[in-house]
Amino acid sequence: MGREVVQPQQQQQQQTVAYTVEQLVAVNPYNPDILPDLENYVNEQVSSQTYSLDANLCLLRLYQFEPERMSTQIVARILVKALMAMPAPDFSLCLFLIPERVQMEEQFKTLIVLSHYLETGRFRQFWDEAAKSRHIVEAVPGFEQAIQAYAIHVLSLTYQKVPRPVLAEAINIEGLSLDKFLEHQVANCGWILEKGHGRGQLIVLPCSEFNHPELKKNNADGIPFDHIARIFPILG
Amino acid sequence: MAIIGDALRQAFMPKHEYESLRDEEKAWGKLQRPLVVTLMALVSVTVIVSTVISLNIVFPGSNGKRPFCSDERLQPLPFNAKGRGYIEHFPGAFFLTDQETVDYYWMVVFLPSIFIFFVSLAYLVAGITVAYSAPTRHGCLKVVENNYCASKRASNALLTQKMANFDHDDAPPNSAAPPPPASSDALGYDPNFVPDSVKSFVVHLYRHIREKNVYEIHQMYETSFQTLSERLFKDTPWPSVDAVAHYVDNDHVFCLLYREMWFRHLYARLSPTLKQRIDSWDNYCSLFQVVLHGVVNMQLPNQWLWDMVDEFVYQFQSFCQYRAKMKNKTEQEIALLTQFDQAWNVYGVLNFLQALVEKSMIVQILEQEKEGLEQFTSTDGYDYNGGSNVLKVLGYFSMVGLLRVHCLLGDYHTGLKCLQPIDISQQGVYTSVIGSHITTIYHYGFANLMLRRYVEAIREFNKILLYIYKTKQYHQKSPQYEQILKKNEQMYALLAICLSLCPQVKLVEETVNSQLREKYGEKMIRMQRYDDEAFAIYDELFSYACPKFITPSAPSFEEPLVNYNQDAYRLQLKLFLYEVKQQQLLSGVRTFLKVYSTISLGKLANYMEVDEPTLRTILMTYKHKTHAVDGDGKIISNADLDFYIDDDMIHVVESRPAKRYGDYFLRQIVKLEGVINDVDRIKLE
């Protein structure tokens, strides 16, 4: 198909690092030869705590085309990475490309259950379940922090002021470490601690258009600058 | 009159002479009319004058008068003229009597003229008979007529043509196809027999393509091809390319195009054999290779180019479905499948589409157009400077093709990414062909639905459904009308799903909404209930409206042969229903929140018969599911009903769509400016 050109490119890349994997995916997404590079790249993402949905989807697509080359270990890593990308729907995007019989494997079943808990906001169950299957999730550094970030995201969508126990449950931090965590957030993210009526602490989350819906209307009334720019000649 | 004249000439002239005649006519067509009128007038005057003279001669007013002589003739008969007057100077000369003059005239002029006149009359009558009986038995004549009158029907035709030949995504090629090829062979299909009408068709089409006459090509491609297929090739293929090649100078590219149409016709009306599927693949390979190497210098109608891409993807999908039904494969078929494992290979298909996009530089062209450096959309992709539009427009449509292939594979994110260079919030080349317009929006909407961006899906479905509703009547006669209706119904089903998951009815126009209520009103109410019956309806609507998902990998031929053509579809359905299940409690919450402006968590938990922590998770699910992540990673709200929690109190805010006064004023300002410009121009003239 005139795509054989890439082989030399790859060899070149190994020597001179002329092409990053991202570039390979952008230039040449439908080439079975880049499969090993993409697999390496998944491992690299895991170790360097980076993430590229496009590259991972590209790899899953190649697996889909040639199921015999599929490595379940790599697929599991991709799925964990996709879980960490919540609230984006990356996890289901990946599942759409993974054949059903593969999804029947035990580790994938666990991951699907985890994703289900996250999707339905059941953080208590999620942390319990995650604790049971450490071997899967702990292979990927940054997992806990990523899920905590997602939990905080959902909480900030929902709450203006959240009771401390609810927060503690969602991010699975308690006691002293929670105090430390809160201190850090107050300093860096504009959180405010408040005394609730009798039952302990309330945390005021930074306001956004989602937990202060009245803010949204102002946004909607705005007119993009380029629209105005278009009628400048007329106004002048 | 012109048609009769044409018919006469066609009936009595040798073929090649007639062809050349038509060439000339075209060339001085404008000059022709006044010349003919003058000529006719001159002939009429001559005829009248001659008639009067003849009649005068034959029936002289008085016997004594001589024609053209003023003096009376009272002379003796010139019997023995010798020695009499001036006659002597002309030996052998004699005088005619009047009666002799008359007789002479009768014999030499009048009778032969009458004879010629009657012969001509017979000739004319014969001609008229031919002209009127011809169309029923002679396809040729109809084609010529279509060509001839084409320009007069321009505006009419364009409207109907837009809809025509629309993608037959779900045309059931296998199940409905009547006789298998074998039996049509028995009926006497001879691939080498070329009827005159087909001869004329290819000759004309070839000439128009050489002359870059896009309008005529479009007419022949749309109307004549359909008419001929309907009349002569209802259940047989067209004549083979080898049989017609010598009428078109064995032109390589034309033969590729002819074969492309040949296979398309075959897929639409018969069921292709495996060998034919493979041949069709080879033909696409050759055709695209020719286009990609940039040696093509044609202008083809957008409709045709769209059909090429559309058919290419359709045949790929059809092949994958066919290959996945392994159970009933004969050994011979399996042998062919293993031998030609490159045919309709998924890498090949994707790489061809991708190569067309890249080679055509269409992404850059669209980018430059935004800066005003390039024209593409404003000319509908055509090139008015003598260049070719083929590569550019094929590249453009290939982006839509990629979207469709990725949707078939279940890769919605990548599909939308492929479409990104096209701004679907605006008109573009993709809207210039109704088939491409519908395919684009259908897949765009579906992908957004699967990505949980319901508002975006609803918005686009609403627009296209309104458009189809308004323009449907113009396409009623189009052969693709049924396909349009089918996609229309499917998109209503998808819209019903979207609105059940995200009840933003305000985004839907009144006409679309009333159509939707009519079709799915009752089902949508039941879908809100989230019991088993509701899931069954979600299942039913999804299965009816989803694309025909494919498994792209080749089967293994060793294991016991099983059908796996449903696998892909079942997976997508399962994951979709999974998503629906995750949202099943949301509609209950929504109902309660609608009637309160503030309510405490405890009270609501009580009403909903759940404990407080569970209610918190439900509320968080609501927030999460109604806030999608868009293409740039930004959070967008899909919620019609929003709320926030302050400690233990829920505060509900119903979001009303803000009226966009700004946009309205901007539009009015531009409109006013336009009017003022028009007025200024009038003053100058």
Side-chain angles (χ1 to χ4, degrees):
Chain A
M1 305 291 94
R3 296 265 148 188
E4 300 78 30
V5 222
V6 179
Q7 197 55 48
Q9 276 179 5
Q10 272 176 318
Q11 284 158 3
Q12 201 182 28
Q13 177 214 9
Q14 273 150 13
Q15 291 147 12
T16 65
V17 201
Y19 291 86
T20 64
V21 180
E22 299 261 352
Q23 279 168 324
L24 271 185
V25 172
V27 176
N28 212 336
Y30 313 115
N31 182 351
D33 298 336
I34 65 175
L35 193 138
D37 290 277
L38 288 171
E39 288 183 334
N40 290 335
Y41 190 52
V42 172
N43 292 329
E44 195 188 314
Q45 288 175 48
V46 169
S47 56
S48 66
Q49 303 206 23
T50 53
Y51 181 60
S52 164
L53 174 66
D54 287 324
N56 294 352
L57 285 180
C58 186
L59 178 57
L60 288 176
R61 191 166 53 223
L62 296 179
Y63 284 153
Q64 192 189 18
F65 298 165
E66 294 170 83
E68 65 279 1
R69 292 175 74 178
M70 178 182 284
S71 143
T72 48
Q73 194 205 4
I74 296 285
V75 174
R77 288 186 174 180
I78 291 178
L79 283 177
V80 176
K81 273 298 204 182
L83 264 192
M84 291 162 63
M86 295 274 285
D90 298 9
F91 189 82
S92 22
L93 284 180
C94 294
L95 282 190
F96 286 137
L97 296 175
I98 301 171
E100 208 171 353
R101 55 182 167 72
V102 179
Q103 292 187 22
M104 289 300 155
E105 279 180 34
E106 210 47 52
Q107 53 174 345
F108 296 124
K109 271 191 191 160
T110 317
L111 283 171
I112 290 170
V113 169
L114 286 178
S115 132
H116 180 72
Y117 289 148
L118 287 182
E119 287 280 343
T120 50
R122 287 185 243 173
F123 293 105
R124 173 82 276 138
Q125 280 122 312
F126 170 82
W127 292 113
D128 291 349
E129 186 67 35
K132 273 187 247 161
S133 36
R134 277 165 195 279
H135 58 286
I136 305 174
V137 294
E138 277 186 357
V140 182
F143 180 77
E144 219 165 302
Q145 288 84 334
I147 303 300
Q148 282 162 355
Y150 164 68
I152 289 170
H153 158 82
V154 180
L155 288 175
S156 340
L157 289 183
T158 319
Y159 293 88
Q160 280 184 1
K161 295 174 188 172
V162 58
R164 183 177 159 124
V166 175
L167 175 71
E169 186 186 274
I171 60 177
N172 200 28
I173 306 179
E174 270 159 359
L176 279 180
S177 22
L178 182 59
D179 286 337
K180 227 176 182 182
F181 179 80
L182 285 174
E183 222 169 87
H184 180 259
Q185 293 289 333
V186 169
N188 294 304
C189 305
W191 290 17
I192 301 164
L193 302 183
E194 237 179 47
K195 201 88 193 108
H197 32 271
R199 281 185 303 136
Q201 244 175 349
L202 276 183
I203 296 112
V204 184
L205 295 169
C207 69
S208 67
E209 58 177 284
F210 307 113
N211 58 16
H212 288 74
E214 67 276 4
L215 287 177
K216 190 164 57 183
K217 273 177 199 158
N218 304 339
N219 286 352
D221 261 352
I223 299 169
F225 178 71
D226 55 325
H227 286 189
I228 302 284
R230 231 176 278 160
I231 63 160
F232 270 163
I234 301 175
L235 296 174
Chain B
M1 205 53 205
I3 295 175
I4 295 175
D6 196 44
L8 277 177
R9 267 170 285 167
Q10 208 179 354
F12 290 101
M13 271 184 179
K15 188 95 185 165
H16 55 93
E17 246 183 270
Y18 173 73
E19 301 287 351
S20 61
L21 192 74
R22 280 185 49 104
D23 258 333
E24 284 162 35
E25 274 178 11
K26 280 264 161 75
W28 54 286
K30 284 183 182 168
L31 208 72
Q32 201 180 22
R33 207 181 171 133
L35 273 179
V36 167
V37 170
T38 325
L39 208 70
M40 288 299 281
L42 215 69
V43 169
S44 322
V45 170
T46 320
V47 166
I48 291 171
V49 170
S50 318
T51 316
V52 170
I53 292 172
S54 304
L55 287 175
N56 266 335
I57 293 174
V58 179
F59 307 106
S62 69
N63 282 335
K65 257 196 168 165
R66 286 190 295 173
F68 304 115
C69 284
S70 50
D71 48 340
E72 290 282 298
R73 197 177 54 158
L74 284 171
Q75 309 161 356
L77 288 170
F79 290 128
N80 301 305
K82 270 183 193 159
R84 297 206 49 144
Y86 63 88
I87 277 289
E88 282 172 357
H89 301 291
F90 303 98
F94 58 91
F95 289 102
L96 282 177
T97 61
D98 269 7
Q99 191 52 50
E100 277 166 345
T101 316
V102 169
D103 289 346
Y104 176 79
Y105 192 83
W106 266 94
M107 283 185 298
V108 177
V109 182
F110 208 79
L111 283 177
S113 296
I114 284 184
F115 180 72
I116 291 170
F117 175 76
F118 277 112
V119 168
S120 312
L121 198 68
Y123 203 73
L124 181 67
V125 171
I128 289 173
T129 324
V130 169
Y132 279 94
S133 64
T136 49
R137 60 185 173 80
H138 221 266
C140 194
L141 211 60
K142 184 82 178 203
V143 175
V144 173
E145 192 213 325
N146 273 338
N147 264 329
Y148 214 67
C149 312
S151 46
K152 284 174 202 158
R153 295 193 220 129
S155 53
N156 258 346
L158 261 183
L159 259 180
T160 43
Q161 295 325 321
K162 262 186 101 175
M163 269 283 193
N165 219 5
F166 165 59
D167 113 300
H168 43 247
D169 181 13
D170 303 306
N174 293 334
S175 55
S183 72
S184 57
D185 278 347
L187 288 175
Y189 166 67
D190 173 8
N192 293 319
F193 172 69
V194 185
D196 284 352
S197 43
V198 174
K199 229 179 275 175
S200 149
F201 174 79
V202 289
V203 167
H204 279 99
L205 186 60
Y206 178 53
R207 206 181 65 215
H208 290 316
I209 289 177
R210 266 193 336 201
E211 288 167 1
K212 297 192 178 178
N213 189 340
V214 179
Y215 186 79
E216 295 288 346
I217 301 171
H218 188 100
Q219 287 302 308
M220 297 208 64
Y221 172 75
E222 279 292 309
T223 319
S224 314
F225 186 74
Q226 296 299 341
T227 322
L228 284 176
S229 300
E230 192 58 37
R231 191 173 324 127
L232 299 172
F233 307 106
K234 228 174 171 144
D235 38 35
T236 56
W238 273 60
S240 75
V241 69
D242 302 329
V244 299
H246 66 272
Y247 297 113
V248 292
D249 314 334
N250 290 312
D251 186 282
H252 180 56
V253 178
F254 185 86
C255 287
L256 291 175
L257 289 173
Y258 180 85
R259 262 163 75 88
E260 199 266 339
M261 288 165 80
W262 192 92
F263 281 115
R264 183 135 33 98
H265 171 261
L266 179 85
Y267 267 78
R269 295 197 181 243
L270 309 157
S271 61
T273 62
L274 178 56
K275 187 78 188 58
Q276 282 165 332
R277 288 171 193 271
I278 294 169
D279 287 346
S280 180
W281 163 255
D282 284 341
N283 190 56
Y284 272 115
C285 288
S286 319
L287 183 61
F288 287 155
Q289 234 123 40
V290 169
V291 172
L292 283 171
H293 287 124
V295 290
V296 172
N297 189 25
M298 308 179 284
Q299 288 257 40
L300 292 181
N302 283 351
Q303 174 78 54
W304 193 346
L305 295 170
W306 161 251
D307 288 342
M308 265 181 220
V309 175
D310 185 48
E311 182 72 12
F312 181 63
V313 178
Y314 165 73
Q315 290 192 9
F316 167 62
Q317 173 210 302
S318 164
F319 183 84
C320 287
Q321 298 284 356
Y322 164 85
R323 185 178 53 186
K325 291 177 193 149
M326 285 302 287
K327 236 178 184 167
N328 306 322
K329 291 275 179 289
T330 62
E331 263 172 45
Q332 206 180 0
E333 281 173 316
I334 290 175
L336 265 179
L337 275 176
T338 34
Q339 188 190 345
F340 295 98
D341 59 340
Q342 284 308 302
W344 295 113
N345 180 294
V346 63
Y347 287 120
V349 171
L350 284 168
N351 277 324
F352 264 128
L353 293 172
Q354 175 78 5
L356 284 168
V357 173
E358 272 167 22
K359 198 81 191 248
S360 63
M361 310 278 286
I362 188 65
V363 179
Q364 290 82 342
I365 290 176
L366 290 174
E367 205 53 48
Q368 289 190 325
E369 191 179 36
K370 278 186 207 150
E371 294 157 23
L373 300 171
E374 188 95 35
Q375 280 197 323
F376 184 73
T377 311
S378 55
T379 61
D380 265 351
Y382 292 111
D383 192 323
Y384 292 120
N385 303 319
S388 165
N389 70 334
V390 174
L391 180 57
K392 266 192 293 181
V393 178
L394 273 183
Y396 182 90
F397 285 136
S398 292
M399 292 191 282
V400 181
L402 280 173
L403 166 68
R404 185 167 158 202
V405 174
H406 281 297
C407 280
L408 293 175
L409 295 170
D411 192 350
Y412 310 107
H413 173 83
T414 314
L416 289 179
K417 225 176 145 200
C418 292
L419 193 72
Q420 222 167 29
I422 301 179
D423 180 2
I424 64 145
S425 66
Q426 283 177 21
Q427 298 249 317
V429 174
Y430 77 99
T431 55
S432 69
V433 179
I434 182 81
S436 116
H437 192 178
I438 292 181
T439 304
T440 310
I441 300 299
Y442 167 78
H443 289 97
Y444 178 83
F446 186 80
N448 271 300
L449 165 66
M450 296 305 268
L451 283 168
R452 289 213 315 263
R453 297 177 195 155
Y454 304 115
V455 167
E456 186 62 21
I458 292 172
R459 215 174 265 143
E460 290 306 324
F461 282 141
N462 171 51
K463 263 197 271 175
I464 185 92
L465 288 171
L466 190 66
Y467 177 78
I468 296 177
Y469 182 80
K470 283 183 180 163
T471 55
K472 202 162 54 174
Q473 49 183 337
Y474 301 115
H475 306 293
Q476 260 165 8
K477 284 186 188 145
S478 143
Q480 310 301 327
Y481 188 57
E482 272 177 36
Q483 281 306 315
I484 293 169
L485 289 188
K486 168 114 199 240
K487 271 277 168 300
N488 188 49
E489 293 300 312
Q490 286 185 321
M491 285 193 285
Y492 271 111
L494 291 178
L495 185 61
I497 292 176
C498 289
L499 284 173
S500 301
L501 293 171
C502 168
Q504 291 268 42
V505 188
K506 282 170 201 151
L507 292 174
V508 181
E509 291 277 337
E510 201 37 57
T511 30
V512 176
N513 198 23
S514 65
Q515 293 277 311
L516 181 70
R517 298 286 147 197
E518 204 176 290
K519 293 176 206 288
Y520 294 111
E522 192 232 356
K523 280 188 180 161
M524 283 173 75
I525 292 169
R526 280 192 283 159
M527 277 154 92
Q528 289 301 324
R529 270 190 258 147
Y530 287 93
D531 47 11
D532 283 346
E533 191 198 14
F535 288 122
I537 298 173
Y538 273 108
D539 184 332
E540 175 199 325
L541 290 189
F542 184 86
S543 307
Y544 168 67
C546 69
K548 291 213 154 145
F549 299 108
I550 51 173
T551 307
S553 54
S556 76
F557 298 103
E558 288 88 36
E559 286 169 37
L561 303 176
V562 283
N563 287 350
Y564 61 97
N565 56 323
Q566 294 283 312
D567 286 6
Y569 151 72
R570 271 202 300 265
L571 174 65
Q572 305 296 320
L573 175 67
K574 185 179 125 185
L575 292 172
F576 169 74
L577 289 178
Y578 207 61
E579 178 67 43
V580 174
K581 275 215 171 101
Q582 287 178 353
Q583 303 199 25
Q584 64 179 332
L585 295 171
L586 303 190
S587 87
V589 173
R590 195 178 276 119
T591 328
F592 282 110
L593 290 183
K594 252 187 190 151
V595 291
Y596 289 94
S597 59
T598 51
I599 181 172
S600 76
L601 277 170
K603 205 163 150 194
L604 184 58
N606 205 10
Y607 288 151
M608 290 190 64
E609 297 165 358
V610 291
D611 59 3
E612 213 181 293
T614 312
L615 179 63
R616 285 187 196 268
T617 65
I618 295 174
L619 289 170
M620 280 197 281
T621 311
Y622 182 91
K623 275 288 193 175
H624 169 58
K625 295 291 186 191
T626 53
H627 289 78
V629 182
D630 75 356
D632 313 320
K634 256 179 36 197
I635 307 288
I636 39 169
S637 167
N638 289 330
D640 56 328
L641 193 70
D642 217 339
F643 68 88
Y644 59 90
I645 307 175
D646 182 357
D647 194 5
D648 278 345
M649 284 301 272
I650 308 169
H651 300 258
V652 184
V653 185
E654 188 151 7
S655 62
R656 286 183 199 84
K659 287 229 166 101
R660 295 302 207 102
Y661 295 113
D663 278 353
Y664 179 77
F665 280 122
L666 283 178
R667 256 200 310 267
Q668 294 304 318
I669 291 170
V670 173
K671 221 186 234 172
L672 177 67
E673 182 65 15
V675 172
I676 291 175
N677 276 344
D678 285 350
V679 171
D680 279 354
R681 214 172 304 136
I682 291 168
K683 253 191 264 167
L684 284 174
E685 283 162 13

